[in-house]
């Protein structure tokens, strides 16, 4: 949770960076996107590196990267150090997404494995929500809002090192192993369920990425909100609601849960678009809460379905690819929207983005519905 909180701590501070001309709306999207490339790289290689060096050592190195990112952010007065910090932060987060969840589950006995999986998912998205609220709170109170939040987070990461040292080593490392650079693939046996689940997950993460990159500027320019804590809370709504969706997904029928998640996400995206078009904070907040729950249900149920359909020897590869595709949605759509914003207003770009997400989720709903009917007739 401490590691993932670093991914969103810049979010409530973005308006201040723009106000002080350290960032522009376009370079903001670049800073946001570079984080994802660092995360994707470590998701790709994390499994192989953990088998070679051990999970505990790799997680310690990830915390060190996040700590160095905090130092870079503290001294940043321009784009280069911000880009470096975001890349290091992304790489550290990528390790925790790929390896941290497995390490947490392995601390528990076999009968508690499902609870551990849910706890790991909640820690991930809970950390994303916590990061923006903490940075907003400290930034609003501190006399140096672009420096003090990173000192607080650095202390949090230092404490996380101590917690990591208390965990047990759960797998044996083998330094003689070669690093596997092969790209993960979709298992043939899980292809029918993987594709719609991945589309829904892509759309779900695009919502989270949208809130991280656009909501600070939208809140400042369209809603007239300059309070860093308020911006942090608004940006955290989607991730906080996703935690609820993760829990709800465990209570739904397995075969219906992915479709239900996609439908809820579709409704949330439509309400978000309405809130953006009308510049209504209330409608925007309602859309964020609904979309967040759809995110949680779609991600958790899609992941469970892929794990259920994949053969045991293909499970890790399928899950890794699922998260890589999902996390790519944090960068690619945002980068595209940043380019579009050079020609259209912030409101028009934001509304168009919400419409695109709704259409993408609509495709996932059609595919999931078709899959459900085929399984019923089989």
């Amino acid at each position: 949770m401490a590691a993932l909180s670093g991914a969103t701590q810049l979010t409530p501070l973005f308006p201040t960076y723009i106000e002080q001309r350290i960032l522009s709306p376009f370079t903001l999207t670049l800073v946001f996107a570079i984080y994802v490339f660092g995360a994707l790289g470590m998701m790709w290689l994390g499994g192989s590196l953990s088998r070679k060096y051990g999970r505990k050592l790799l997680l310690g190195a990830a915390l060190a990267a996040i700590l160095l990112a905090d130092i870079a952010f503290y001294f940043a007065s321009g784009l280069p150090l911000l880009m470096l910090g975001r890349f290091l932060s992304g790489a550290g987060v990528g390790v925790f997404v790929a390896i941290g969840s497995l390490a947490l589950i392995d601390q528990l006995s076999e009968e508690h494995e499902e609870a551990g999986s849910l706890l790991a998912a909640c820690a991930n998205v809970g950390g994303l929500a916590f990061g923006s609220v903490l940075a907003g709170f400290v930034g609003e109170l501190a006399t140096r809002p672009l420096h003090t939040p990173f000192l607080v987070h650095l202390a949090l990461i230092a404490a996380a090192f101590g917690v990591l040292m208390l965990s047990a080593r759960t797998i044996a490392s083998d330094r003689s192993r070669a690093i596997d650079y092969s790209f993960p693939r979709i298992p043939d046996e899980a292809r029918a369920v993987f594709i719609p689940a991945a589309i829904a997950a892509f759309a779900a993460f695009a919502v989270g990425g949208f809130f991280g990159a656009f909501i600070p500027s939208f809140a400042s320019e369209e809603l007239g909100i300059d309070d860093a804590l308020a911006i942090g809370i608004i940006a955290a709504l989607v991730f906080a609601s996703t935690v609820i969706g993760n829990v709800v997904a465990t209570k739904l029928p397995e075969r219906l849960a992915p479709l239900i998640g996609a439908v809820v996400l579709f409704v949330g995206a439509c309400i978000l678009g309405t809130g953006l078009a009308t510049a209504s904070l209330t409608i925007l907040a309602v859309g964020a809460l609904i979309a967040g729950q759809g995110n949680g249900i779609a991600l958790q149920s899609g992941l469970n379905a892929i794990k259920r359909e994949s053969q045991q020897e293909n499970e890790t590869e399928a899950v890794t690819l699922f998260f890589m595709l999902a996390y790519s949605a944090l960068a690619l759509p945002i980068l595209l929207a940043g380019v579009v914003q050079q020609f259209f207003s912030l409101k028009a770009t934001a509304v168009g983005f919400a419409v695109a997400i709704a259409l993408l989720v609509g495709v996932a709903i059609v595919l999931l519905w078709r899959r459900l009917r085929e399984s019923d007739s089989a």
Side-chain angles (χ1 to χ4, degrees):
M1 187 170 180
L4 268 291
S5 68
T8 53
Q9 63 175 334
L10 284 184
T11 300
L13 307 177
F14 280 147
T16 307
Y17 279 113
I18 293 175
E19 181 184 324
Q20 296 188 12
R21 300 186 182 277
I22 296 174
L23 290 175
S24 68
F26 180 67
T27 55
L28 186 153
T29 61
L30 294 178
V31 167
F32 194 85
I34 194 67
Y35 151 81
V36 181
F37 291 112
L40 290 178
M42 292 313 300
M43 286 182 203
W44 177 13
L45 299 176
S48 177
L49 289 172
S50 69
R51 288 188 290 272
K52 184 178 179 68
Y53 298 108
R55 288 176 182 165
K56 194 168 182 177
L57 179 61
L58 193 60
L59 291 173
L63 287 177
I66 295 170
L67 190 146
L68 289 174
D70 285 331
I71 295 173
F73 292 144
Y74 181 85
F75 288 106
S77 58
L79 189 60
L81 278 180
L82 283 174
M83 294 282 281
L84 174 62
R86 285 291 280 176
F87 182 82
L88 289 171
S89 177
V93 166
V95 170
F96 270 88
V97 171
I99 303 302
S101 298
L102 295 175
L104 188 153
I105 293 168
D106 286 346
Q107 304 294 312
L108 306 174
S109 57
E110 191 172 334
E111 61 266 24
H112 295 128
E113 185 174 311
E114 186 175 336
S117 178
L118 177 62
L119 179 61
C122 290
N124 284 337
V125 292
L128 294 173
F130 176 69
S132 62
V133 174
L134 177 64
F137 176 74
V138 176
E140 193 60 33
L141 294 179
T143 55
R144 302 178 71 197
L146 297 185
H147 296 83
T148 309
F150 306 118
L151 292 180
V152 173
H153 192 261
L154 191 150
L156 188 64
I157 294 300
F161 269 113
V163 174
L164 180 64
M165 293 303 104
L166 297 176
S167 66
R169 292 187 63 179
T170 53
I171 61 169
S173 57
D174 182 2
R175 299 295 176 93
S176 64
R177 289 180 66 108
I179 298 174
D180 182 9
Y181 294 99
S182 61
F183 198 80
R185 62 177 185 83
I186 304 174
D188 292 334
E189 69 276 8
R191 187 175 298 273
V193 71
F194 185 97
I195 293 175
I199 292 174
F202 186 94
F205 269 72
V207 172
F210 166 80
F211 261 71
F214 276 91
I215 287 302
S217 296
F218 190 88
S220 177
E221 296 179 22
E222 299 292 335
L223 302 178
I225 298 174
D226 295 319
D227 185 287
L229 177 57
I231 292 174
I233 292 173
I234 295 170
L237 284 177
V238 166
F239 297 117
S241 186
T242 299
V243 175
I244 299 173
N246 283 332
V247 176
V248 170
T250 64
K251 310 297 181 183
L252 296 173
E254 285 185 352
R255 58 191 297 275
L256 295 176
L259 180 60
I260 293 172
V263 170
V264 174
L265 179 56
F266 178 82
V267 172
C270 291
I271 296 175
L272 273 177
T274 303
L276 292 165
T278 59
S280 169
L281 177 59
T282 301
I283 298 175
L284 193 65
V286 171
L289 291 171
I290 295 175
Q293 291 195 46
N295 286 1
I297 297 171
L299 290 168
Q300 190 70 33
S301 61
L303 183 60
N304 291 342
I306 290 169
K307 291 172 68 175
R308 187 169 59 250
E309 294 293 328
S310 301
Q311 296 176 6
Q312 188 172 4
E313 62 270 21
N314 296 328
E315 184 180 300
T316 300
E317 189 174 24
V319 169
T320 299
L321 182 59
F322 177 77
F323 276 115
M324 287 183 68
L325 291 172
Y327 265 77
S328 68
L330 291 176
L332 300 181
I334 302 303
L335 201 54
L336 178 61
V339 174
V340 172
Q341 197 180 334
Q342 305 304 304
F343 306 97
F344 299 94
S345 68
L346 174 63
K347 179 186 284 189
T349 304
V351 172
F353 195 83
V355 171
I357 291 172
L359 292 174
L360 189 61
V361 179
V363 173
I365 290 173
V366 172
L367 294 175
L368 288 166
W369 175 254
R370 184 181 299 173
R371 166 73 177 169
L372 194 61
R373 292 189 64 182
E374 288 175 354
S375 63
D376 286 341
S377 61

